[in-house]
Amino acid sequence: AVVSTQSTGGWRPRRTIKVASWDAEEWGLFGSIEWVEENRFVLRNKAVIYVNTDVAEGGECNEVMATGSPLYQGLTMGVLNRVNGVNSSAPLPLSGSGSDMFSFYCYAGVSVVDINCNSADNVYHTIHDNRRLFDLIDKDYTNLAKVSSALAQVVVNASESVVIQGSVDVYCQRISEWWFHHRPGLVELLARLKEDKDVLKPVDDIVSALNKAAAQFQANVYSPLSGESDPMEIRRVNDILLHFDRAFLSDTQVPGTLSFYSRHLLVSPSADDAYSGSGFPSLKWMVSDESITKDEVLHQLEVIRWALKSARDILLFN
């Protein structure tokens, strides 16, 4: 409705906006996964963001909540703070596989934001999901308006901003937190396998190098940009942000995950919690699997190191 109203006044977004409603979500995300499979190469080359909503109405909406890629932490939390009337700096929770953003993020590598109504008394998928139910639980549509406002603000910002509103420095800080969260367990695992803990040093080094590159990129390349900057420089920076999440895609399913479509090495949901994203799910799997071998551990560490190096190289590309 917001986009329609804008367009009648002659407004056109800088970037194409596609609106989709998916079939067979409850049966296994079939509709969205099928579409992503058919369009994954276009998505990987052109998609800036996928914005999802699943529970947009739920009676007494305590707050509008979101999950998503750390790349859009600043954009998303800014919108939520305005809609909810708060000033929170909490990290954006990772998205899981409980709704249609899953294949976009974990299979195609498209950065996502999922916006919903946080309500304790919502009715969940019954034959009574109709207009009369809406009139009972949200008579003046106040709560639905909050969610709709948040969705519209994220979509319009992502489609209209000259420079993509991404925060690679925030993303890389989260990567560092995830790595050092798992590191003590990895040290114990390596001791059990009679392997020197120094094999972790290459990952330590690239995590540090990635954070340094991200801080330099944010301060020296991204922050000075404006709508009046050189169009080619804007395009270069936007391409970096566009492809940053893609650097972490694996050619095969990430170990320790449940789905064939879990290809994102950093945020794919782990096997023991499909509804939440997990920082480095393969590391979580390694430290909990008593049958894991030394070769498997060394291989996964190298896979992770290479992905982090690829992300660092994207930021340093001139």
Side-chain angles (χ1 to χ4, degrees):
V2 173
V3 173
S4 176
T5 301
Q6 292 272 33
S7 62
T8 57
W11 174 80
R12 289 177 60 86
R14 294 178 184 274
R15 302 180 182 92
T16 300
I17 300 172
K18 286 185 177 289
V19 180
S21 180
W22 307 113
D23 290 330
E25 190 263 5
E26 287 296 332
W27 294 99
L29 312 178
F30 293 156
S32 56
I33 286 177
E34 184 74 16
W35 193 85
V36 169
E37 280 189 309
E38 291 183 3
N39 295 278
R40 65 186 183 278
F41 296 115
V42 174
L43 290 170
R44 288 178 181 178
N45 283 321
K46 295 184 177 182
V48 171
I49 190 173
Y50 171 74
V51 184
N52 187 74
T53 190
D54 192 350
V55 183
E57 178 60 277
E60 184 179 351
C61 186
N62 301 319
E63 62 177 347
V64 179
M65 58 183 293
T67 64
S69 168
L71 186 67
Y72 289 118
Q73 158 96 19
L75 168 61
T76 307
M77 295 309 296
V79 168
L80 292 188
N81 284 341
R82 287 193 295 272
V83 171
N84 291 324
V86 298
N87 185 24
S88 172
S89 58
L92 182 66
L94 297 176
S95 296
S97 60
S99 193
D100 292 293
M101 65 282 177
F102 168 65
S103 57
F104 284 88
Y105 198 13
C106 293
Y107 187 60
V110 177
S111 303
V112 304
V113 172
D114 178 41
I115 296 175
N116 295 292
C117 175
N118 180 18
S119 173
D121 60 351
N122 59 296
V123 179
Y124 186 74
H125 298 325
T126 76
I127 61 172
H128 304 292
D129 286 2
N130 54 33
R131 174 65 182 271
R132 183 171 180 274
L133 177 64
F134 268 50
D135 290 340
L136 288 172
I137 64 177
D138 188 14
K139 189 172 184 179
D140 58 359
Y141 294 89
T142 301
N143 300 325
L144 186 61
K146 287 183 180 180
V147 176
S148 300
S149 174
L151 288 165
Q153 289 183 57
V154 172
V155 169
V156 171
N157 184 291
S159 65
E160 184 62 15
S161 59
V162 176
V163 183
I164 295 173
Q165 301 299 296
S167 305
V168 295
D169 54 343
V170 172
Y171 202 150
C172 293
Q173 289 166 13
R174 296 284 296 278
I175 291 171
S176 183
E177 291 169 6
W178 299 331
W179 168 248
F180 286 105
H181 170 76
H182 289 295
R183 200 180 188 284
L186 292 171
V187 171
E188 293 181 10
L189 171 63
L190 291 168
R192 177 166 60 85
L193 295 173
K194 295 180 173 54
E195 179 62 59
D196 196 312
K197 66 180 181 180
D198 284 350
V199 298
L200 300 177
K201 190 175 185 304
V203 184
D204 289 337
D205 291 344
I206 194 60
V207 168
S208 175
L210 177 59
N211 272 272
K212 181 179 179 180
Q216 292 175 342
F217 172 83
Q218 206 74 22
N220 302 329
V221 179
Y222 183 84
S223 294
L225 283 182
S226 70
E228 304 302 318
S229 299
D230 179 0
M232 293 305 295
E233 179 64 6
I234 292 174
R235 176 61 183 267
R236 183 180 77 87
V237 170
N238 282 344
D239 282 348
I240 288 172
L241 294 168
L242 184 75
H243 291 96
F244 192 70
D245 253 314
R246 274 72 143 178
F248 307 117
L249 290 180
S250 170
D251 292 332
T252 58
Q253 179 181 341
V254 177
T257 63
L258 288 174
S259 174
F260 167 83
Y261 300 98
S262 293
R263 305 297 179 87
H264 201 299
L265 288 161
L266 299 189
V267 300
S268 293
S270 63
D272 61 352
D273 186 6
Y275 282 89
S276 300
S278 177
F280 289 116
S282 61
L283 298 183
K284 187 176 182 180
W285 161 72
M286 285 195 294
V287 299
S288 61
D289 188 344
E290 295 184 356
S291 64
I292 196 165
T293 66
K294 183 190 302 185
D295 287 345
E296 287 175 315
V297 171
L298 296 178
H299 174 71
Q300 288 304 316
L301 289 174
E302 177 58 18
V303 168
I304 288 171
R305 187 200 68 82
W306 185 258
L308 297 177
K309 178 182 178 299
S310 297
R312 191 275 312 267
D313 291 345
I314 288 173
L315 294 178
L316 295 178
F317 181 76
N318 292 305

